[in-house]
């Protein structure tokens, strides 16, 4: 059943008169791994942030599981926004862990405050998700003692604590040294194999090519091209896509 988990129609967003998103439309089906690629400044992160209401879109429609976050440019009520974005989790470029809390406390904070989860349930979830990212031995560590890759894996475990239907990743490896990037991508690949629905803004073309089921190529605020990894990497329709892909190949 190809149910649209996310449906975006004619989305627009401007900052200080500069239009960053121009008439964006796409759909995400359950279990899709959508890689959003393109040069810096093409609107990729802004698009992701609009989907989870960290930025408010100016126009268009965003539906999550058929429920509107914004419809024809009109936002729903704050209480409805909370309900609509509840099934989504986000992993940020710079981890955003609370430095004064242990790994366990970072993981427990949102479930305790938002879901009123009982301690025994949180203990089990902490253990499950830290084992999932290979970091159960760091459960009582402080963030400052972790490598960048470990911090990002903790951030993924923290997002999983809320049992999301959809995970959004905003450049999850771009703040990491190359040797730490692989450990984070490996966790993301495992999530993909478990059919987690994911939208990933990334410069990691190996991940986009090998793991994504769909690729959106953004350029100057529009989705210039979308398709399978084979469509985008082997048979790009636009010169701009071709140039982008070949420039990355030349860096390898």
């Amino acid at each position: 059943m190809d149910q649209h988990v996310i449906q975006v129609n004619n989305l627009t967003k401007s900052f200080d008169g500069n239009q960053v998103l121009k008439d964006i439309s796409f759909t995400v089906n359950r279990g899709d791994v959508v890689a959003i690629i393109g040069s810096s400044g093409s609107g990729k992160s802004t698009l992701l942030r609009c989907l989870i209401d960290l930025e408010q879109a100016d126009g268009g429609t965003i539906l999550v599981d058929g429920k509107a976050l914004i419809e024809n440019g009109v936002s729903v009520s704050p209480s409805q926004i909370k309900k609509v974005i509840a099934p989504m989790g986000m992993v940020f470029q710079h981890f955003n862990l609370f430095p004064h809390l242990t790994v366990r406390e970072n993981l427990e904070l949102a479930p305790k405050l938002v879901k009123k989860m009982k301690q025994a349930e949180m203990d089990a979830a902490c253990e499950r998700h830290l084992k999932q990212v290979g970091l159960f031995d760091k459960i009582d560590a402080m963030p400052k003692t972790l490598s960048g890759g470990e911090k990002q894996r903790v951030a993924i475990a923290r997002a999983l604590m809320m049992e999301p239907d959809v995970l959004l990743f905003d450049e999850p490896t771009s703040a990491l040294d190359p040797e730490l990037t692989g450990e984070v991508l490996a966790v993301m690949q495992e999530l993909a194999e478990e059919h987690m629905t994911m939208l990933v803004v990334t410069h990691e073309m190996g991940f986009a090519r090998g793991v994504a089921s769909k690729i959106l190529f953004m350029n100057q605020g529009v989705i210039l091209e979308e398709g399978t990894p084979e469509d985008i990497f082997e048979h790009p329709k636009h010169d701009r896509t071709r140039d982008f892909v070949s420039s990355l190949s030349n860096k390898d």
Side-chain angles (χ1 to χ4, degrees), residues 24 41 47 59-60 82-83 87 90 106 126 150 153 164 178 186 207 225 227 243:
I24 297 278
L47 171 58
K82 272 189 186 170
K83 284 182 194 157
M90 185 145 177
N106 266 283
C126 266
E150 288 170 339
R153 285 188 283 154
F207 177 86
E225 198 163 343
D243 292 347

Side-chain angles (χ1 to χ4, degrees), residues 38-51:
S39 52
S40 296
S42 56
K44 306 183 301 294
S45 293
T46 300
L47 171 58
L48 218 57
R49 292 171 70 84
C50 285
L51 295 181

Side-chain angles (χ1 to χ4, degrees), residues 161-236:
M161 287 288 287
M162 297 297 282
E163 303 296 339
D165 295 331
V166 181
L167 271 181
L168 311 178
F169 292 85
D170 188 10
E171 297 280 13
T173 58
S174 65
L176 302 179
D177 295 334
E179 65 268 23
L180 300 177
T181 293
E183 64 190 47
V184 174
L185 293 178
V187 169
M188 293 168 65
Q189 182 159 355
E190 279 174 28
L191 290 171
E193 287 164 4
E194 291 164 12
H195 308 294
M196 170 64 77
T197 307
M198 301 195 285
L199 283 86
V200 185
V201 170
T202 186
H203 284 110
E204 295 295 333
M205 293 304 116
F207 177 86
R209 190 190 282 259
V211 181
S213 50
K214 183 198 287 194
I215 293 182
L216 306 180
F217 173 65
M218 291 188 67
N219 185 58
Q220 296 183 339
V222 301
I223 296 174
L224 194 60
E225 198 163 343
E226 72 172 275
T228 64
E230 187 181 0
D231 293 335
I232 300 300
F233 288 106
E234 309 300 333
H235 312 290

Side-chain angles (χ1 to χ4, degrees), residues 5-157:
V5 182
I6 295 175
Q7 197 165 353
V8 176
N9 294 317
N10 311 118
L11 196 69
T12 59
K13 175 66 182 174
S14 296
F15 294 103
D16 301 323
N18 174 33
Q19 197 169 12
V20 178
L21 299 178
K22 307 167 186 172
D23 205 29
I24 297 278
S25 298
F26 67 97
T27 58
V28 179
N29 293 330
R30 200 167 299 285
D32 275 353
V33 177
V34 179
I36 306 171
I37 66 171
S39 52
S40 296
S42 56
K44 306 183 301 294
S45 293
T46 300
L47 171 58
L48 218 57
R49 292 171 70 84
C50 285
L51 295 181
I52 201 163
D53 200 54
L54 290 172
E55 300 287 356
Q56 197 172 358
D58 298 331
T61 297
I62 299 172
L63 302 177
V64 180
D65 266 336
K67 296 187 277 292
L69 182 63
I70 179 171
E71 194 157 22
N72 298 321
V74 180
S75 290
V76 296
S77 68
S79 61
Q80 183 65 13
I81 286 171
K82 272 189 186 170
K83 284 182 194 157
V84 174
I85 65 172
M88 294 192 286
M90 185 145 177
V91 177
F92 297 90
Q93 180 177 347
H94 293 291
F95 332 127
N96 290 16
L97 298 178
F98 292 103
H100 61 292
L101 300 179
T102 65
V103 166
R104 180 202 299 271
E105 289 164 344
N106 266 283
L107 264 64
E108 289 182 349
L109 193 61
K112 195 183 289 180
L113 293 176
V114 179
K115 287 197 158 185
K116 313 292 184 215
M117 204 182 269
K118 300 283 188 291
Q119 189 62 49
E121 198 182 343
M122 281 195 299
D123 288 345
C126 266
E127 180 174 349
R128 181 168 73 251
H129 294 307
L130 284 174
K131 282 181 174 172
Q132 196 173 355
V133 301
L135 287 174
F136 184 58
D137 60 322
K138 304 286 188 183
I139 190 166
D140 293 314
M142 299 302 288
K144 69 180 178 188
T145 67
L146 304 178
S147 71
E150 288 170 339
K151 286 177 188 171
Q152 194 58 293
R153 285 188 283 154
V154 169
I156 293 171

